[in-house]
Amino acid sequence: MLKTKEILDEKDKRLRQISKEVVFPLTKEDKKLIQKMIEYLTDSQIEEKAEKYDLRPGMGMAAIQLGVAKRYFVVVHEVEEGTFDTYVIINPKIISNSEEMIYVELGEGCLSVNRDVEGIVPRYARVTIEGYNELGQKITVRGREELSIAFQHELDHLDGILFTDHIDKDNPYAGEELYRAI
Ligand code: ZN
Protein backbone atom coordinates (compact mmCIF):
# COMPACT_ATOMS: atom_id res chain seq x y z
CA MET A 1 0.00 0.00 0.00
CA LEU A 2 1.20 3.46 -0.95
CA LYS A 3 2.04 5.72 1.99
CA THR A 4 1.50 9.47 2.07
CA LYS A 5 5.19 10.06 2.79
CA GLU A 6 6.12 8.36 -0.51
CA ILE A 7 4.53 11.23 -2.43
CA LEU A 8 7.16 13.78 -3.45
CA ASP A 9 6.92 17.21 -1.85
CA GLU A 10 6.80 20.39 -3.94
CA LYS A 11 10.39 21.20 -2.96
CA ASP A 12 11.64 17.99 -4.58
CA LYS A 13 13.35 18.84 -7.88
CA ARG A 14 12.24 15.57 -9.49
CA LEU A 15 8.76 17.11 -9.78
CA ARG A 16 10.26 19.58 -12.27
CA GLN A 17 11.30 16.92 -14.79
CA ILE A 18 9.54 16.52 -18.10
CA SER A 19 8.17 12.98 -18.01
CA LYS A 20 8.86 10.67 -20.93
CA GLU A 21 6.37 9.02 -23.28
CA VAL A 22 5.41 5.50 -22.25
CA VAL A 23 6.32 2.63 -24.56
CA PHE A 24 3.91 -0.32 -24.60
CA PRO A 25 3.50 -2.91 -23.25
CA LEU A 26 3.55 -1.47 -19.74
CA THR A 27 6.13 -2.92 -17.39
CA LYS A 28 5.04 -4.93 -14.35
CA GLU A 29 6.27 -2.07 -12.17
CA ASP A 30 4.08 0.47 -13.95
CA LYS A 31 1.04 -1.80 -13.70
CA LYS A 32 1.66 -2.23 -9.98
CA LEU A 33 2.19 1.48 -9.48
CA ILE A 34 -1.06 2.31 -11.28
CA GLN A 35 -2.96 -0.08 -9.00
CA LYS A 36 -1.39 1.56 -5.94
CA MET A 37 -2.30 5.01 -7.22
CA ILE A 38 -5.92 3.97 -7.82
CA GLU A 39 -6.10 2.43 -4.37
CA TYR A 40 -4.60 5.48 -2.65
CA LEU A 41 -6.81 7.99 -4.43
CA THR A 42 -9.97 5.97 -3.84
CA ASP A 43 -9.28 5.24 -0.16
CA SER A 44 -8.18 8.82 0.45
CA GLN A 45 -11.67 10.02 -0.49
CA ILE A 46 -13.36 7.59 1.92
CA GLU A 47 -13.22 9.23 5.33
CA GLU A 48 -12.74 6.17 7.57
CA LYS A 49 -10.00 4.79 5.34
CA ALA A 50 -8.26 8.13 5.01
CA GLU A 51 -8.14 8.41 8.79
CA LYS A 52 -7.16 4.82 9.40
CA TYR A 53 -4.27 4.84 6.92
CA ASP A 54 -3.35 8.52 7.29
CA LEU A 55 -4.07 9.41 3.65
CA ARG A 56 -4.37 12.95 2.32
CA PRO A 57 -7.55 13.32 0.29
CA GLY A 58 -6.87 13.75 -3.41
CA MET A 59 -8.52 12.91 -6.72
CA GLY A 60 -5.51 12.84 -8.99
CA MET A 61 -1.91 11.70 -9.07
CA ALA A 62 0.76 11.65 -11.75
CA ALA A 63 3.52 9.03 -11.82
CA ILE A 64 6.19 11.71 -11.32
CA GLN A 65 4.72 12.44 -7.89
CA LEU A 66 6.08 9.03 -6.95
CA GLY A 67 9.38 9.72 -8.68
CA VAL A 68 8.54 7.89 -11.93
CA ALA A 69 9.12 10.22 -14.89
CA LYS A 70 6.65 8.61 -17.28
CA ARG A 71 3.69 10.23 -18.94
CA TYR A 72 0.70 8.81 -17.13
CA PHE A 73 -1.72 9.79 -14.42
CA VAL A 74 -4.72 8.49 -12.50
CA VAL A 75 -7.84 10.44 -11.60
CA VAL A 76 -10.48 8.99 -9.28
CA HIS A 77 -13.58 11.13 -9.45
CA GLU A 78 -16.33 10.78 -6.85
CA VAL A 79 -19.50 11.13 -8.89
CA GLU A 80 -21.77 10.60 -5.92
CA GLU A 81 -21.06 9.62 -2.33
CA GLY A 82 -19.07 6.39 -2.39
CA THR A 83 -19.23 6.01 -6.20
CA PHE A 84 -16.07 6.64 -8.16
CA ASP A 85 -15.12 6.88 -11.82
CA THR A 86 -11.51 5.89 -12.35
CA TYR A 87 -9.38 7.23 -15.21
CA VAL A 88 -5.95 5.91 -16.10
CA ILE A 89 -4.56 7.96 -18.98
CA ILE A 90 -1.21 7.23 -20.58
CA ASN A 91 0.59 9.61 -22.98
CA PRO A 92 -2.32 12.08 -22.69
CA LYS A 93 -2.84 15.07 -24.97
CA ILE A 94 -5.56 17.72 -24.97
CA ILE A 95 -7.15 17.57 -28.40
CA SER A 96 -9.86 20.16 -27.81
CA ASN A 97 -10.95 22.59 -25.14
CA SER A 98 -13.72 25.03 -24.34
CA GLU A 99 -13.17 28.73 -24.65
CA GLU A 100 -14.71 29.18 -21.25
CA MET A 101 -12.26 29.18 -18.36
CA ILE A 102 -12.99 28.32 -14.74
CA TYR A 103 -11.11 28.11 -11.45
CA VAL A 104 -11.55 26.46 -8.08
CA GLU A 105 -12.86 29.15 -5.78
CA LEU A 106 -11.40 27.61 -2.63
CA GLY A 107 -8.05 27.14 -4.34
CA GLU A 108 -6.66 24.13 -6.15
CA GLY A 109 -4.98 21.40 -4.14
CA CYS A 110 -2.20 18.94 -4.82
CA LEU A 111 -0.92 15.90 -2.95
CA SER A 112 2.59 17.33 -3.37
CA VAL A 113 1.70 20.75 -1.96
CA ASN A 114 1.08 20.32 1.74
CA ARG A 115 -0.29 23.79 2.49
CA ASP A 116 -3.21 25.96 1.52
CA VAL A 117 -2.45 28.15 -1.47
CA GLU A 118 -4.81 30.99 -2.34
CA GLY A 119 -5.30 32.32 -5.81
CA ILE A 120 -6.69 31.72 -9.24
CA VAL A 121 -5.52 28.95 -11.54
CA PRO A 122 -7.41 29.44 -14.82
CA ARG A 123 -8.40 26.16 -16.47
CA TYR A 124 -10.56 25.19 -19.43
CA ALA A 125 -14.11 24.41 -18.33
CA ARG A 126 -14.18 21.40 -20.68
CA VAL A 127 -11.45 19.37 -22.32
CA THR A 128 -11.20 16.34 -24.54
CA ILE A 129 -8.12 14.22 -23.99
CA GLU A 130 -6.69 11.57 -26.19
CA GLY A 131 -4.36 8.95 -24.74
CA TYR A 132 -3.95 5.24 -24.15
CA ASN A 133 -5.29 2.81 -21.58
CA GLU A 134 -3.19 0.23 -19.74
CA LEU A 135 -3.52 -2.18 -22.65
CA GLY A 136 -2.12 0.36 -25.07
CA GLN A 137 -5.48 0.99 -26.73
CA LYS A 138 -6.27 4.50 -27.85
CA ILE A 139 -8.90 6.25 -25.71
CA THR A 140 -10.72 9.57 -25.85
CA VAL A 141 -11.96 11.03 -22.58
CA ARG A 142 -14.03 14.13 -21.96
CA GLY A 143 -14.05 16.08 -18.74
CA ARG A 144 -15.99 19.06 -17.52
CA GLU A 145 -15.86 21.21 -14.40
CA GLU A 146 -13.74 19.66 -11.63
CA LEU A 147 -12.86 16.62 -13.75
CA SER A 148 -11.58 18.92 -16.49
CA ILE A 149 -9.49 20.79 -13.91
CA ALA A 150 -8.09 17.52 -12.56
CA PHE A 151 -7.02 16.41 -16.06
CA GLN A 152 -5.26 19.71 -16.73
CA HIS A 153 -3.61 19.70 -13.30
CA GLU A 154 -2.25 16.17 -13.83
CA LEU A 155 -1.14 16.93 -17.40
CA ASP A 156 0.85 19.86 -16.01
CA HIS A 157 2.71 17.47 -13.69
CA LEU A 158 3.96 15.56 -16.74
CA ASP A 159 5.60 18.77 -17.92
CA GLY A 160 7.08 19.63 -14.52
CA ILE A 161 4.48 22.30 -13.75
CA LEU A 162 2.77 22.75 -10.38
CA PHE A 163 -0.53 24.58 -9.94
CA THR A 164 1.21 27.17 -7.79
CA ASP A 165 3.23 28.22 -10.88
CA HIS A 166 0.02 29.59 -12.44
CA ILE A 167 -0.72 31.97 -9.56
CA ASP A 168 0.40 35.58 -9.70
CA LYS A 169 2.15 35.93 -6.34
CA ASP A 170 1.71 39.70 -6.09
CA ASN A 171 -1.94 39.51 -7.06
CA PRO A 172 -3.31 35.98 -6.53
CA TYR A 173 -6.81 37.01 -7.62
CA ALA A 174 -5.75 38.79 -10.80
CA GLY A 175 -8.26 38.30 -13.62
CA GLU A 176 -10.95 36.98 -11.29
CA GLU A 177 -13.71 38.63 -13.37
CA LEU A 178 -12.58 36.79 -16.52
CA TYR A 179 -13.26 33.30 -15.23
CA ARG A 180 -16.13 31.41 -13.64
CA ALA A 181 -15.60 30.16 -10.08
CA ILE A 182 -16.61 26.60 -9.28
ZN1 ZN B 1 -0.80 17.79 -8.16
Side-chain angles (χ1 to χ4, degrees), residues 52-118:
K52 187 170 169 194
Y53 301 115
D54 192 25
L55 312 176
R56 290 185 53 215
M59 70 183 286
M61 196 188 295
I64 191 59
Q65 290 180 273
L66 300 172
V68 175
K70 295 186 180 181
R71 300 189 79 82
Y72 64 83
F73 65 72
V74 176
V75 169
V76 176
H77 183 216
E78 188 167 32
V79 284
E80 54 182 280
E81 176 131 16
T83 307
F84 301 94
D85 281 345
T86 299
Y87 301 88
V88 176
I89 312 183
I90 300 167
N91 297 340
K93 284 190 177 64
I94 294 181
I95 56 163
S96 73
N97 57 264
S98 61
E99 254 181 63
E100 188 191 15
M101 308 283 283
I102 55 176
Y103 67 96
V104 183
E105 194 163 20
L106 298 173
E108 231 168 87
C110 177
L111 289 171
S112 294
V113 179
N114 200 2
R115 59 192 171 104
D116 286 326
V117 181
E118 281 199 338

Side-chain angles (χ1 to χ4, degrees), residues 6 23 25 27 80 96 113 121 125 127 129 131 144 152 179:
E6 293 177 69
V23 178
T27 64
E80 54 182 280
S96 73
V113 179
V121 181
V127 287
I129 294 187
R144 52 190 294 279
Q152 293 165 76
Y179 319 112

Side-chain angles (χ1 to χ4, degrees), residues 109-176:
C110 177
L111 289 171
S112 294
V113 179
N114 200 2
R115 59 192 171 104
D116 286 326
V117 181
E118 281 199 338
I120 289 181
V121 181
R123 305 285 194 186
Y124 303 122
R126 295 169 294 284
V127 287
T128 303
I129 294 187
E130 215 170 71
Y132 296 85
N133 65 16
E134 290 163 90
L135 300 171
Q137 296 158 332
K138 196 161 214 175
I139 52 170
T140 304
V141 183
R142 286 176 191 84
R144 52 190 294 279
E145 304 291 306
E146 65 173 350
L147 184 59
S148 174
I149 291 177
F151 288 159
Q152 293 165 76
H153 177 116
E154 299 312 325
L155 257 160
D156 270 355
H157 275 302
L158 307 186
D159 293 320
I161 299 166
L162 297 178
F163 80 92
T164 50
D165 299 346
H166 292 291
I167 298 170
D168 181 339
K169 286 186 183 56
D170 301 321
N171 187 6
Y173 289 93
E176 191 170 12

